[in-house]
Amino acid sequence: MNNLNLVRGLFLMAIALIFGLTSLKYKLGEFSRAGPGMFPLVVSCLLFLIGLATVVRSRFVKPVPLNYNMRNIALVLIGLCGFAVLSAHLNMIAGIVFLVFCSSFAGASYSVVRNLKISAVLIGIALVFQRFLGLNLPLF
Amino acid sequence: MNSFRLLLSLLLSFCVAPAAFAQAYPTKPIKLIVGYSPGGAVDIIARTIGQKLSASLGQPVLVDNKPGAGTNIAVRSLIDSPADGYTLMMTANAISANASLYQPPPFDPDRDVAPVSLVGKVPVVIATTATSPYSSLSKLISAAKSAPGTINYATPGNGSTPHLAVELFARAAGVSLTHIPYRGGAPAIVDVIGGQVPLVAVNALEALPHHNSGKLHVIAAMSTSRSSILPGVPTIAESGYAGFEASVWYGLIAPAATPKAIIVKLHAEVQKALASAEVKERMNSVGGEVLPTTAEKFGELIHSERVRYEKLIREANLKPS
Amino acid sequence: MDILTNLAFGFEHALTLQNLMYCAIGCTVGTLVGLLPGLGPLSTISLLLPLTYSIPTAGSLIMLAGIYYGAQYGDSVSAITMRIPHASSIVACIDGYQMTLKGRTGLALFTAGVSSFIGGTVAIVVLATLAPLLGEVAFLFGPADYCALIFLGFVCVSFVTTGSLLNGLAMTLVGVVLGLVGTDVNSGVARFTMDLSFLAEGIGLVSIALGCFGIAEVVKNLDSGEERTPFNGKIKLMPTWPEFKRIIPSALRGSVIGSFLGILPGGGPVIAQFAAYAVDKRFSKYKHEMGDGAIEGVAGQAAADEAAARTSFIPLMSIGIPENAVMALMMAAFIVKGIQPGPTMIADHPDLFWGLVASMWVGNCFLLVLNVPLVRYWLSVFKIPFSVLFPSILFFCCIGTYSINNNLNDIFITALFGFMGYLFMRLGLEAPPLMLGFILGPMLEEYFRRQLLISRGDFSSFLTRPISGTLFAVIAIIIGWQVVAFFLPSRKRKAALLQAEQ
């Protein structure tokens, strides 16, 4: 399963299946009077075929190892979602601090002082956006 | 949408009349949703009224076009917006028709929206190209009778007044025409001029410039009397189908829970706008008229039209195509 | 010589102090707006439209037009420097960003600026000489022809992506299905929304652009582990003469392609940048460098983009038909001012028409002048160490997403697409075709369904119309050629192998 080409094909087929099977829930209609499910089904089928072709092709070309590192993307995503959740329930300043501190773990080096400085500058920028550009930011 | 507004208003603040700043409402720009693409009749009327409102309210009125699904996307967006008077919508008849046309009903026009004011109405016209064989309604009907279901007609969308008007008229005439929906009058007109579709039913406001330039040929006006703008065009009654008059009405609505005081204020400002010579002249120049009424009367109109459409749609078994 | 008299007449109107000021404001606001992630010309013009009611007609139209093509240029700056695209600068993310990685940001921005100038100038010549004639082109295109044109755009991505035709088409189709999320335009059915009300209007373009490009790129840099060193070298802005010579042919090719595709309604300008890039990749002297930070990769698409932005005014002003959402707003601006755009507009309001055309060239010069100091300002971003820069980029992505609808839920969508973008990147799938599919997908569905409705479900109607038939033939030739090109070398290799064995 560590073959990039194979995983890519399977991934595309999975997307095609998710959308294709969901589109069966909607009315298909006929070609002369296509329902809401017709076009998504056609496109999903095409995508499935391309995924299948990619899988078949992966049998014939040299395997390429798949590299991934879930740590960094996870940290960044937690930072973004935490920003949204904290901004909704507490305020955006907390969100900014959380975003900076959380995502910085993904960086090559970690420094609390630097993070505090970045947070301070970003909060300043957010204040400018709110006061002078009229952005509707829930800062407090 | 309404972010960055201050940056922009700072740059251009000299453009907006600084009147009425002292009052509580409005303190920020108002969003006016339109369910059809820009440049169409509803959009033009929304912008004309919006221009008057932004001058009298002292806050910019921003038109936000959300076309598609016969204005259902726009109505949904209005209903989901906070009922604080900062989100309004310029609607047409579709709001009354869609509750019966779409299944399950996407919303309830009596419950989910608050009427603010009726604005005016414009008659529906049926047009074709200058070189078309269907140069009159009678020629169209005889052609449609000899080949049922083969003649297409374009409209601004499912459930739009022109769509319903043509369906009802065709049923009465005993012919069947195929409906091709668009996202507004302008793209429908392009495909008719380009010869993709032989007929178009739109409101007079959108068809007139192309009729005047000779690219379109209006064959019937669904108004009660001949329009002074289109003296050579017979009305639908003259063509033998009295009772199938249809006009598109336009009105301003708000989310249902909008405070009464805001509706009263908006209603008063709309009445002022409707009384201006400019708005009257624009409506009259396309054979339409302004219709100032109370908010309650407008609510009754939405309801009575809904009852009427419900019956017609059920009898004709109309479905969105 | 009529044109020269007319243009002189136009410049008389464009060069009044007042109109010069409106042109300058428009270009500046447009450029600034283009720089901010999430705010495109469409939202800006709809915001500013009500504020222009009290400006004189010519001034307000000149300003709105300035915002439009100014934003078209400003867009490319964030694409080149941070790999955050707007609809009009997707292709700039490929070679433009590669040039940035090689420390040639200044050159990339200069190339984009000069090419935009060339593209704009060519388009204005087209606009001034052929406007009434070319307007009629829009009437020739029916739904089948638009389908064919969009398919051709999709096939163009096979040249654009550095990978294979298969990967490019796969990503385009993923983009198309993502574009389907939301309320169906015909039946009103909510599709793939998982009953989430904020998905009813579809996924925001900004979420996809920021997620698949901006956030994915940040994580890619983080994964590579090394701190991207702050750029301390001398900022090189002007190209050398040989470099400059490379801009010209590519920009001219792009201008011609952009001028033509700009006239066509729908996805014209979006397709134009991909088409220009594909042509450069095929015919440029430096095609081996394309995708790797070639000057041509920036020049051609920038010129096409700018040219298409100008010529898209043609259908509006000559036949009164707006060809995209921005032009529809311009049409509303005309009508609110009491001017009906259409066949009689040039005759009725020559001062407006020629004034606007002339002001476009004035705006062109203005953008070029405005550009140089801004480039220096933008380059200073690269003196910030990456460990400081990346939390800030994430912050701007959040603010950009949020401010579109003032909705915090949109940030979750952006985060989701950050994850998707990361997966795509790791799987060797390129994001630009995804954007193309996402933008053109809904149009494709509309035209596709309409054509089948008109032809009563007859697929041969796609091939029998002259325009769509020709376009599909071109597509067949391109795909056939790709397949042949795929098998030919392998056969040669086999032959060589056989020879070696013998």
Side-chain angles (χ1 to χ4, degrees), chain A residues 4 8 26 36 67 72 136, chain C residues 191-192 223 402 422 426-427:
Chain A
L4 176 74
R8 177 164 61 207
Y26 311 119
N67 288 317
N72 289 340
N136 188 13
Chain C
R191 295 186 294 187
F192 311 111
D223 277 1
Y402 167 77
Y422 180 78
R426 282 289 162 224
L427 290 171

Side-chain angles (χ1 to χ4, degrees), chain B residues 130-153:
Chain B
T131 53
S132 161
Y134 317 126
S135 56
S136 71
L137 217 48
S138 54
K139 280 186 190 160
L140 169 68
I141 291 166
S142 57
K145 273 195 173 137
S146 59
T150 55
I151 298 175
N152 298 328
Y153 70 98

Side-chain angles (χ1 to χ4, degrees), chain B residues 1-5 7-9 11-17 31 37-40 43-44 47-48 50-52 54 60-70 72-73 76-77 80 102-103 149-152 158 177-183 186-187 189-191 193-197 205 209-210 213 215 278 282 320-321, chain C residues 21-22 25 29 32-33 36-37 39 42-44 46-55 63 136 138-146 183-189 197 200-201 319-322 325 328-329 331-333 335-338 340-341 343-344 402-406 442-443 446 449-451 453-456 465:
Chain B
M1 265 316 274
N2 53 12
S3 343
F4 293 98
R5 58 177 192 278
L7 160 75
L8 304 170
S9 344
L11 271 163
L12 291 144
S13 55
F14 57 91
C15 309
V16 187
K31 182 161 90 176
S37 46
D43 180 71
I44 296 300
R47 285 177 200 280
T48 312
Q51 179 183 3
K52 292 281 168 201
S54 46
V61 175
L62 307 171
V63 173
D64 189 5
N65 301 85
K66 293 187 189 292
N72 281 353
I73 294 176
R76 192 72 252 166
S77 163
D80 290 341
Y102 290 85
Q103 290 305 330
T150 55
I151 298 175
N152 298 328
N158 276 310
L177 303 167
T178 303
H179 178 224
I180 316 282
Y182 285 77
R183 281 192 197 216
I189 289 172
V190 178
D191 266 12
I193 297 178
Q196 315 299 332
V197 182
L205 201 154
H210 301 280
S213 75
K215 292 230 187 266
E278 193 189 333
R282 176 152 301 157
S321 46
Chain C
M21 188 186 75
Y22 288 128
I25 293 177
V29 171
L32 291 176
V33 153
L36 297 167
L39 206 64
L42 184 62
S43 39
T44 317
S46 60
L47 279 169
L48 282 178
L49 199 50
L51 301 175
T52 61
Y53 290 152
S54 47
I55 298 178
M63 191 172 78
E136 305 280 328
F139 290 134
L140 299 176
F141 275 67
D145 308 320
Y146 289 122
T183 310
D184 172 35
V185 283
N186 279 359
S187 65
V189 174
S197 66
E201 282 170 49
I319 53 171
I321 297 296
L329 276 174
M331 175 165 170
I335 296 178
V336 168
K337 290 284 181 193
Q340 179 70 45
T344 55
Y402 167 77
S403 58
I404 299 295
N405 292 320
N406 286 334
M443 290 184 212
E446 202 181 331
R449 280 164 78 169
R450 185 170 298 148
Q451 176 61 28
L453 193 56
I454 291 176
S455 68
R456 307 287 185 275
R465 288 180 53 87

